[in-house]
Amino acid sequence: MEQQFNTIYSMFCNRVQETPDIAAYCERLNNQWQPTSWQSLKDQVEYFASALMAHGFSKGDTVNILAGNRLVWPIADLGTIAAGGISAGIYPTNSAGQCEYIFKHSECKVLVVDTLDQLNKILPVSQSLELIIVKDPVDKSLDKVIQWDDFLEKGKANPQYLNTIQKMTENSDPEDIIIIVYTSGTTGMPKGACLSNRYVLASCEALKHTVDAINAAIPDVYKQANEQPESLSFLPYCHVAERISGMYNRMYLGVTGYLVDDITKLYPYMLEVNPHSFAGLPRFFEKIYAKIKNDIETENGYDRDAFYRAVEFNKQVKQLNREGKNVPIQIQQAYENAEKNIFSKIRGTLGNRIMSLTSGAAPIPEDVLHFFEYGANIPIYEAYGLTEFLCGAFNTPDARKPRSVGCPMYGAQIKIASDGEILFKGPLLFSGYYKDEAATNEAIDADGWFHTGDIGKIDEDGFLFITGRKKEFIKTSTGKKISPLLLENLCKRNHVISNVMVFGDFKKYLTALITLNPDELKGYAKVNQIEYNTYEALTQHPEIIKMIESIVQSVNAQVSRTEQIKKFRVLTRDFSVDQEEITPTGKVKRKIVTARFKDVIETMYA
């Protein structure tokens, strides 16, 4: 696998040299977007690195970053790497105890926080830290605490370290560990995945191949000539997807990132920025789908019949194109009229320059996928990867299948083990778990294959399908082993359902706890004229229970009798990150949910 650079920092310097005056990031300050050029970013990165070295920072030391999507993140991250250190992010939603664990496990010497709230959270557990850098104005008399601007000024006043930084980056090795990404941890304390220069650069190259394939299929009518590509940065940088496919891949491709530090403002910012591409989680697309679908069904700004006719024309045109057949002029004209009056209007809800959509982390319901492809004329390309091997599989315009996560990405090798486990191999692989040789040896076998823990299959065309988690199989009282993930994902194909957790260990039959998406549920109630007083009451309304039952029955029709969900309960609220029932990336913590809703579960086996 050919790579243009040996280190992240050399890639960064090349980007600065090629486009010094182009905006690297835009940050929301005083209700306006404030741009920072690549050259200005590099200046601040060097100030940060110099200040670290003036503080006594050594090669291999660790900096933790506890901040939202603000400019401090890329500056601190790249500055740490420039100083020869290791950068490790922490989720802003983590508790003080979880932060303390990462401080100590990563042997962190320096911590960067953005707000006083974050500072106050960690101060009681900060004994192991040498220095805390705070972005917002702070009481300078606090022990070990320095304000961000003062820290950068310290670096600016010590330019003698720039030569050291230059020599250090020139002598860096592709296998040097530069990042530790802590997994969100569904079963215990998180593991620290060590990522090297090689991992990041190989991932960027793999992503570039995928982006090129997607861009090549974008209709010319969508494209804006000679415009600087722009996208939103809203997922946490401590998550591997936003760190690699967001921060570093934008750097590699020269894309401007708009920093969204308040997730509740994502949608209005999207309409304001008008990004050219958007990489989101399924939940975002489900919300957009629910709102527009509700408007269509109630004819709020849309002609319902015209919309469904347009969808049929779109399906016909795409099918004829796939078959290599000519499109009859009457259908082509109807399609072009639908594009002008309907598809473009729906796409406009994502901004008037949007050209591509991608998603990962979890499957998107099929009705949502179909809506965007045929109702908005813009497909969503789904991907699959893990912290340890981010660039695993991706659907592309020329290679995609329903319910598949795609074919192997550039540089990725995939095979299925004898027990059905998905294995990865290639230069995109992580370097092991920090201070956990046993876990590393368990994850990477003697032949260099990474054991993902996911169960799947590869079809005759090379497409990968995820069917379950190896450690989450349910064993019923009859001895049957069943994948709960398969059933849960089948249920979640309906956008009204938010989370599903299937039970049945050592039981005669399977049951499920089901939570609902509030916006989608309220929209369903409005369209179907269901009256209710409170949201909690709506979740238990007989018509809603009947609707959920029909979804469960349709899922049961797709599996064997022993895999069918015999009983379910709809909860009055969704699982929550704050209550530690799901991780920041949306994965259900099964042990916690099982314990918390034990009484509800037992009613289904009474």
Side-chain angles (χ1 to χ4, degrees):
M1 184 180 190
E2 293 186 8
Q3 294 177 23
Q4 186 178 355
F5 308 102
N6 286 326
T7 67
I8 287 180
Y9 201 74
S10 61
M11 177 178 75
F12 172 55
C13 291
N14 180 76
R15 170 51 53 205
V16 175
Q17 185 176 4
E18 286 191 355
T19 56
D21 300 323
I22 297 295
Y25 290 97
C26 291
E27 187 173 26
R28 192 75 173 182
L29 300 172
N30 300 320
N31 210 32
Q32 291 184 332
W33 292 107
Q34 300 291 336
T36 296
S37 70
W38 286 106
Q39 183 60 60
S40 176
L41 181 68
K42 185 172 185 286
D43 292 342
Q44 294 177 75
V45 165
E46 289 179 344
Y47 297 155
F48 187 91
S50 296
L52 283 179
M53 300 184 82
H55 179 72
F57 195 79
S58 301
K59 183 176 175 62
D61 285 348
T62 304
V63 171
N64 286 167
I65 306 172
L66 176 60
N69 287 35
R70 300 175 65 179
L71 195 60
V72 295
W73 233 110
I75 293 172
D77 182 67
L78 290 165
T80 299
I81 294 169
I86 298 172
S87 169
I90 301 176
Y91 282 102
T93 54
N94 276 12
S95 67
Q98 291 170 324
C99 293
E100 182 183 24
Y101 172 81
I102 294 176
F103 297 162
K104 292 180 177 179
H105 186 266
S106 66
E107 301 175 64
C108 169
K109 292 189 174 183
V110 178
L111 172 68
V112 176
V113 302
D114 55 351
T115 67
L116 294 183
D117 285 343
Q118 294 289 5
L119 174 65
N120 291 331
K121 178 175 73 177
I122 61 89
L123 276 178
V125 296
S126 62
Q127 293 82 359
S128 63
L129 302 174
E130 293 181 3
L131 183 67
I132 303 171
I133 308 165
V134 185
K135 177 63 177 78
D136 289 349
V138 65
D139 181 355
K140 297 183 180 181
S141 67
L142 289 172
D143 185 40
K144 299 190 293 189
V145 173
I146 185 171
Q147 206 274 328
W148 173 266
D149 292 338
D150 294 338
F151 188 71
L152 293 191
E153 281 298 322
K154 184 177 181 180
K156 190 175 182 180
N158 284 276
Q160 69 271 21
Y161 291 108
L162 293 178
N163 287 333
T164 306
I165 292 170
Q166 180 67 28
K167 290 178 181 178
M168 193 176 298
T169 55
E170 289 175 355
N171 295 327
S172 293
D173 190 271
E175 295 300 326
D176 283 347
I177 304 303
I178 51 170
I179 298 167
I180 299 176
V181 173
Y182 280 88
T183 60
S184 50
T186 58
T187 58
M189 298 309 290
K191 294 194 291 286
C194 297
L195 310 185
S196 65
N197 281 301
R198 181 255 309 151
Y199 171 105
V200 176
L201 294 167
S203 298
C204 287
E205 188 62 31
L207 287 163
K208 182 180 184 299
H209 276 70
T210 299
V211 170
D212 287 347
I214 292 173
N215 287 344
I218 295 172
D220 290 339
V221 68
Y222 294 5
K223 296 178 180 178
Q224 309 289 330
N226 302 318
E227 278 199 336
Q228 166 63 19
E230 297 175 334
S231 65
L232 295 173
S233 174
F234 67 97
L235 296 172
Y237 276 127
C238 48
H239 189 273
V240 71
E242 185 63 25
R243 189 79 155 280
I244 308 301
S245 61
M247 183 190 298
Y248 297 129
N249 196 47
R250 288 190 193 99
M251 183 194 304
Y252 193 45
L253 301 178
V255 176
T256 299
Y258 281 73
L259 298 165
V260 180
D261 67 336
D262 183 351
I263 194 66
T264 64
K265 296 180 180 178
L266 173 60
Y267 189 63
Y269 284 171
M270 189 166 195
L271 296 180
E272 188 175 316
V273 172
N274 287 317
H276 296 86
S277 60
F278 183 78
L281 298 175
R283 189 74 188 96
F284 177 84
F285 295 115
E286 290 168 17
K287 281 181 172 290
I288 298 296
Y289 163 83
K291 182 184 184 306
I292 301 174
K293 191 71 185 301
N294 181 64
D295 287 343
I296 291 169
E297 295 298 332
T298 58
E299 297 201 318
N300 179 21
Y302 294 91
D303 182 316
R304 183 180 183 278
D305 292 339
F307 169 78
Y308 285 108
R309 285 196 301 271
V311 167
E312 289 306 312
F313 285 131
N314 199 353
K315 288 181 178 179
Q316 291 179 51
V317 169
K318 284 181 165 56
Q319 182 61 36
L320 290 169
N321 287 335
R322 281 193 291 267
E323 295 173 355
K325 297 179 180 179
N326 292 327
V327 179
I329 188 168
Q330 188 175 3
I331 294 178
Q332 182 64 33
Q333 289 175 343
Y335 167 82
E336 291 174 359
N337 183 61
E339 165 59 35
K340 179 180 179 181
N341 297 304
I342 297 175
F343 303 149
S344 61
K345 180 179 179 179
I346 295 175
R347 280 199 311 278
T349 60
L350 300 173
N352 57 28
R353 299 189 300 177
I354 198 72
M355 295 189 294
S356 65
L357 303 174
T358 57
S359 180
I364 297 179
E366 283 190 61
D367 52 353
V368 178
L369 290 173
H370 289 165
F371 175 82
F372 277 94
E373 177 158 11
Y374 299 112
N377 210 19
I378 183 168
I380 302 172
Y381 297 104
E382 294 185 279
Y384 167 68
L386 306 94
T387 300
E388 298 86 349
F389 202 109
L390 176 65
C391 297
F394 219 123
N395 279 289
T396 60
D398 295 330
R400 60 192 177 113
K401 279 188 178 182
R403 304 182 186 179
S404 167
V405 293
C407 292
M409 294 181 69
Y410 177 71
Q413 300 175 55
I414 306 178
K415 73 175 183 178
I416 306 298
S418 58
D419 62 356
E421 185 175 9
I422 300 167
L423 309 184
F424 281 142
K425 189 177 183 179
L428 308 111
L429 180 62
F430 82 133
S431 301
Y433 297 112
Y434 188 58
K435 297 195 296 189
D436 198 338
E437 185 177 355
T440 299
N441 292 336
E442 183 181 355
I444 305 174
D445 65 27
D447 295 321
W449 287 96
F450 171 65
H451 292 242
T452 65
D454 289 328
I455 301 297
K457 63 180 182 179
I458 300 174
D459 72 5
E460 64 278 4
D461 297 318
F463 285 87
L464 177 64
F465 295 79
I466 313 298
T467 58
R469 284 288 297 167
K470 187 174 181 178
K471 293 182 179 180
E472 292 179 356
F473 274 99
I474 291 172
K475 189 173 184 179
T476 66
S477 60
T478 62
K480 174 74 173 179
K481 291 180 71 175
I482 297 168
S483 167
L485 184 64
L486 173 64
L487 297 169
E488 290 159 2
N489 285 341
L490 285 171
C491 289
K492 288 165 66 176
R493 283 179 181 161
N494 188 295
H495 66 282
V496 174
I497 293 179
S498 177
N499 279 296
V500 181
M501 186 164 167
V502 173
F503 302 85
D505 262 330
F506 308 110
K507 302 291 186 181
K508 291 182 179 180
Y509 55 86
L510 302 184
T511 61
L513 293 180
I514 297 175
T515 70
L516 307 178
N517 287 318
D519 293 340
E520 286 83 335
L521 184 62
K522 292 173 184 176
Y524 179 88
K526 182 178 180 181
V527 170
N528 291 276
Q529 299 180 332
I530 299 173
E531 296 182 358
Y532 61 96
N533 294 321
T534 65
Y535 174 76
E536 290 74 14
L538 177 60
T539 63
Q540 306 304 308
H541 193 285
E543 289 298 317
I544 299 302
I545 301 300
K546 183 178 178 181
M547 180 263 291
I548 299 299
E549 185 173 10
S550 69
I551 294 172
V552 172
Q553 287 176 350
S554 69
V555 169
N556 287 341
Q558 302 175 58
V559 297
S560 66
R561 287 185 62 186
T562 54
E563 293 174 302
Q564 292 177 354
I565 298 170
K566 302 300 184 185
K567 295 182 181 181
F568 66 88
R569 294 288 185 269
V570 177
L571 301 180
T572 57
R573 66 168 179 85
D574 203 351
F575 299 142
S576 165
V577 173
D578 292 339
Q579 298 192 47
E580 298 189 2
E581 294 159 346
I582 55 174
T583 69
T585 56
K587 297 174 184 175
V588 176
K589 296 185 176 182
R590 294 182 181 273
K591 288 184 178 179
I592 291 176
V593 170
T594 301
R596 189 156 295 164
F597 296 95
K598 180 181 178 182
D599 293 344
V600 179
I601 297 166
E602 287 179 350
T603 65
M604 294 185 281
Y605 293 103

